[in-house]
Amino acid sequence: MIDIAKVNLALNYYQMMGYSRIEVPWMVPTEIAELTSSVGFDIVEDYSTEVMRLVGSGEQGFLHIYDTLEANKAYCTLTPCFRKEIDYSGWNLREFV
């Protein structure tokens, strides 16, 4: 279960520290998604296409819009995780969330 109050506290903390909260895309080109994907942490394919994938984390959205961001500025974001995470026993943990 996600504790939204703690998530909001974290976002507020980063904003107080000077980070700008921005929204990033939840779908990115496949080549960007693959930059930060690891073995065993595959992107869920249900809504993905050959050219676009749902994000596994915020950095994939940041990478997609990197050229549009202001240099030397700190950013934070909140995104869902669409990864299919496999634990050591081989269970797909996403099925239990």
Side-chain angles (χ1 to χ4, degrees), residues 1-72:
M1 170 117 15
I2 296 173
D3 187 337
I4 297 298
K6 287 183 180 176
V7 171
N8 282 327
L9 281 173
L11 287 171
N12 289 338
Y13 170 80
Y14 282 107
Q15 288 174 297
M16 286 182 353
M17 297 303 292
Y19 288 71
S20 296
R21 182 175 176 190
I22 61 171
E23 296 298 322
V24 297
W26 289 11
M27 287 195 87
V28 297
T30 299
E31 61 270 9
I32 288 177
E34 289 175 348
L35 287 173
T36 59
S37 295
S38 301
V39 176
F41 295 90
D42 298 325
I43 303 300
V44 174
E45 301 295 335
D46 299 349
Y47 301 100
S48 298
T49 68
E50 287 185 29
V51 295
M52 297 292 283
R53 291 205 178 156
L54 290 166
V55 296
S57 59
E59 74 260 21
Q60 293 172 339
F62 276 117
L63 288 171
H64 184 53
I65 64 169
Y66 179 78
D67 292 338
T68 67
L69 299 175
E70 191 177 320
N72 299 319

Side-chain angles (χ1 to χ4, degrees), residues 75-89:
Y75 298 96
C76 64
T77 193
L78 176 65
T79 62
C81 174
F82 293 105
R83 275 192 285 246
K84 179 173 45 174
E85 301 193 14
I86 308 297
D87 74 358
Y88 292 110
S89 66

